[in-house]
């Protein structure tokens, strides 16, 4: 990381560290929603269009069908639902940020889509056994580890038998990245593949598959990077 970027990052942290995660992401949803959701896309049109790539990945995993009811943890601006809504029965999105939820409801107007603001600690608004697919991208790496574990357990509860749980997370097999403070509102936490699979097994998920973000099988050779996990509730 260049020195200037490192300094700016440290300044941003010192400014934002008193904020709760909910407050931080709500502020970002108002001031910089595109960068908060997809930092590699510079405008709202490209950010929203990128949701089609996630849908293509989900389709390649075989977890999308016309009768499916889906839930997106950390739905942001609704970039995935804008494209997924045409391929499933109903989409639900949840986000901790009220401003993100409000913006998503403006951007995505399909009748079979709903966005709900939650407390960021669970999936309480929905009954157990509701969904065919629960998924999350670019979210779990920002959460405290125990909160990630809780979401894995919650996802298992909310899925129907045979339902799928798909999520992206950053891995670092050598644990070379420093752990951010527990209260850091947007810090990035890395995992080892075996640790993620252990969390899934303890939550009673089975048939765990791994791919890269493009749907290619992950053979574990990359020590650092994005990995997509797909598991089944049996």
């Amino acid at each position: 990381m260049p020195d200037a970027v490192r300094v700016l990052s440290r300044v941003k942290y010192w400014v934002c560290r008193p904020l709760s995660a909910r407050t931080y992401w709500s502020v970002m949803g108002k001031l910089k929603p595109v960068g908060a959701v997809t930092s590699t896309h510079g405008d709202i049109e490209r950010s929203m269009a990128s949701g089609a790539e996630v849908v293509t990945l989900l389709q390649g995993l075989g977890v999308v069908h016309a009768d499916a009811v889906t839930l997106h943890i950390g739905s942001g601006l609704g970039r995935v639902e804008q494209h997924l809504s045409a391929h499933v029965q109903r989409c639900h999105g949840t986000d901790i940020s009220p401003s993100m939820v409000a913006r998503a409801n403006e951007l995505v107007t399909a009748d079979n889509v709903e966005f709900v603001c939650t407390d960021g600690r669970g999936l309480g608004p929905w009954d157990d056994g509701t969904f065919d697919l629960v998924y999350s991208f670019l979210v779990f790496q920002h959460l405290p580890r125990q909160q990630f574990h809780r979401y894995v357990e919650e996802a298992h509860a909310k899925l129907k038998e045979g339902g799928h749980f798909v999520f992206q997370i950053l891995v670092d097999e050598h644990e070379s990245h420093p752990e951010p403070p527990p209260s850091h509102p947007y810090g990035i936490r890395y995992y080892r593949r075996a640790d993620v699979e252990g969390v899934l097994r303890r939550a009673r998920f089975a048939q765990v598959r791994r791919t890269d973000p493009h749907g290619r099988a992950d053979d574990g050779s990359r020590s650092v990077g994005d990995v997509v996990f797909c598991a089944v509730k049996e």
Side-chain angles (χ1 to χ4, degrees):
M1 182 186 294
D3 288 344
V5 175
R6 186 179 290 108
V7 170
L8 288 173
S9 177
R10 188 171 295 276
V11 169
K12 180 184 177 184
Y13 167 63
W14 280 99
V15 170
C16 296
R17 69 191 183 107
L19 304 178
S20 67
R22 183 184 184 87
T23 300
Y24 171 80
W25 291 107
S26 185
V27 169
M28 290 296 287
K30 293 178 180 178
L31 300 181
K32 196 178 179 182
V34 172
V37 173
T38 51
S39 58
T40 57
H41 299 287
D43 57 59
I44 189 68
E45 289 78 16
R46 283 184 289 178
S47 180
M48 295 300 287
S50 70
E53 300 168 7
V54 177
V55 175
T56 298
L57 172 62
L58 295 174
Q59 290 174 319
L61 290 169
V63 300
V64 173
H65 56 84
D67 295 326
V69 180
T70 68
L71 174 64
H72 186 180
I73 301 172
S75 47
L77 297 174
R79 68 188 183 102
V80 177
E81 289 68 37
Q82 185 176 64
H83 304 276
L84 183 61
S85 59
H87 302 283
V88 299
Q89 181 186 127
R90 188 160 184 80
C91 298
H92 298 262
T94 174
D95 203 282
I96 194 175
S97 168
S99 59
M100 288 286 191
V101 169
R103 191 76 174 102
N105 280 314
E106 294 173 358
L107 290 167
V108 185
T109 58
D111 291 339
N112 63 337
V113 177
E114 174 193 40
F115 297 103
V116 175
C117 188
T118 54
D119 60 11
R121 294 190 291 270
L123 303 174
W126 296 281
D127 293 333
D128 289 355
T130 294
F131 300 106
D132 300 283
L133 169 65
V134 176
Y135 63 97
S136 187
F137 288 80
L138 307 176
V139 172
F140 289 159
Q141 61 212 28
H142 293 294
L143 301 181
R145 294 182 187 275
Q146 287 303 314
Q147 184 56 43
F148 164 58
H149 297 176
R150 180 183 173 101
Y151 268 127
V152 173
E153 294 170 354
E154 288 269 301
H156 188 276
K158 302 305 176 184
L159 282 166
K160 301 174 183 176
E161 289 188 9
H164 290 86
F165 182 35
V166 178
F167 61 93
Q168 163 275 339
I169 205 161
L170 280 167
V171 302
D172 176 2
E173 294 296 336
H174 301 307
E175 300 181 305
S176 58
H177 289 80
E179 181 77 2
S183 60
H184 197 311
Y186 60 89
I188 295 179
R189 296 163 178 87
Y190 291 77
Y191 290 78
R192 297 186 307 162
R193 291 173 176 84
D195 294 336
V196 176
E197 292 179 0
V199 173
L200 288 167
R201 286 195 299 272
R202 287 192 292 275
R204 303 181 306 284
F205 279 105
Q207 301 180 40
V208 179
R209 292 180 282 162
R210 301 192 314 257
T211 75
D212 69 10
H214 304 289
R216 297 183 291 256
D218 171 59
D219 62 3
S221 61
R222 292 177 302 126
S223 61
V224 178
D226 292 289
V227 174
V228 176
F229 290 80
C230 177
V232 178
K233 176 179 178 177
E234 293 187 331

